[in-house]
Amino acid sequence: MIQIRQIIPLTLIALFTQLHAGNFAIDGTHSELAVDVRASPPHSFTFTAKEFAVDLQINPQTLELQKATCTFGFDSLDSKKPKRDKKMRGWINTTHYPKATFELTKVRQGETDGTQIGVGQFTMHGVSREIEIPFTIRRDGKVIILDGQAELNTTEWDLKIIRMFFFSVKPVIKPHFHLEGTLTNDA
């Protein structure tokens, strides 16, 4: 009986993902959404999203990214240090601003060969701003791989710089992603 209770929610999640994931079926075991943070005295750490949702539409012949939406909850971010995670949740005020969303509005060619720039609205902490995310998209057999990284200044989303005694967290963060999956209508 316990196994059936565990299987039913997983089946519903998988069905929901298939119905709302464009034509890109993500492989969660090989995909990651994370953000690198620097602090002083000099050290760095990474928050990794344990759960996130992507809705991508990719042209199977040209690999042109036609649609992209990504959403994650701040409560799913894990830095492997529960005290730090709790402070981050208080800083972002997850009670009022529980999630962040990126919605692609256009794609243009990047300056380097194979790099593209995804332009879209990123919303967090109740503020939406246009951002640019350099990314690559490639095919390895039937697997489609997207890699990208941006640089954001959290003060532009009305978030204060964290300072405690001689310690401070830099406001410039580097969100990045590695997504692997297959196209559901790949010919």
Side-chain angles (χ1 to χ4, degrees):
M1 189 68 154
I2 292 173
Q3 290 177 339
I4 292 173
R5 287 182 186 161
Q6 292 171 343
I7 292 171
I8 290 172
L10 293 175
T11 304
L12 291 174
I13 290 169
L15 181 61
F16 179 79
T17 302
Q18 289 174 354
L19 292 174
H20 299 288
N23 70 341
F24 183 77
I26 190 169
D27 177 352
T29 61
H30 292 100
S31 299
E32 178 181 74
L33 175 65
V35 61
D36 295 331
V37 180
R38 291 182 341 159
S40 63
H43 74 284
S44 60
F45 48 93
T46 300
F47 285 101
T48 303
K50 291 189 222 174
E51 297 175 8
F52 60 95
V54 294
D55 181 356
L56 304 178
Q57 184 72 34
I58 300 170
N59 181 307
Q61 283 74 39
T62 64
L63 295 185
E64 174 189 345
L65 184 60
Q66 299 169 326
K67 174 186 173 187
T69 303
C70 178
T71 303
F72 68 90
F74 289 104
D75 286 340
S76 83
L77 295 179
D78 182 14
S79 71
K80 305 289 187 218
K81 291 203 174 191
K83 283 177 123 179
R84 178 170 44 213
D85 297 349
K86 184 178 179 180
K87 287 181 183 181
M88 179 273 303
R89 289 180 182 105
W91 171 71
I92 198 84
N93 189 358
T94 58
T95 302
H96 290 97
Y97 310 107
K99 65 180 182 172
T101 303
F102 174 78
E103 181 88 30
L104 182 74
T105 55
K106 66 182 173 182
V107 176
R108 69 174 198 274
Q109 286 304 117
E111 294 178 14
T112 59
D113 212 19
T115 299
Q116 299 177 58
I117 308 294
V119 180
Q121 290 294 310
F122 181 66
T123 303
M124 77 171 167
H125 199 244
V127 177
S128 292
R129 299 239 183 263
E130 185 175 86
I131 65 169
E132 296 185 350
I133 303 174
F135 73 95
T136 59
I137 185 169
R138 62 187 166 86
R139 184 187 308 263
D140 184 8
K142 289 202 172 267
V143 176
I144 304 298
I145 302 166
L146 291 92
D147 287 296
Q149 177 175 315
E151 193 169 279
L152 307 177
N153 187 325
T154 58
T155 61
E156 293 178 17
W157 281 266
D158 297 337
L159 289 162
K160 297 181 191 289
I161 296 173
I162 298 172
R163 290 189 171 94
M164 296 179 340
F165 306 111
F166 62 92
F167 172 82
S168 67
V169 176
K170 305 292 183 194
V172 175
I173 59 173
K174 293 184 178 180
H176 53 92
F177 59 87
H178 174 83
L179 304 176
E180 291 189 23
T182 55
L183 300 182
T184 58
N185 63 349
D186 201 356

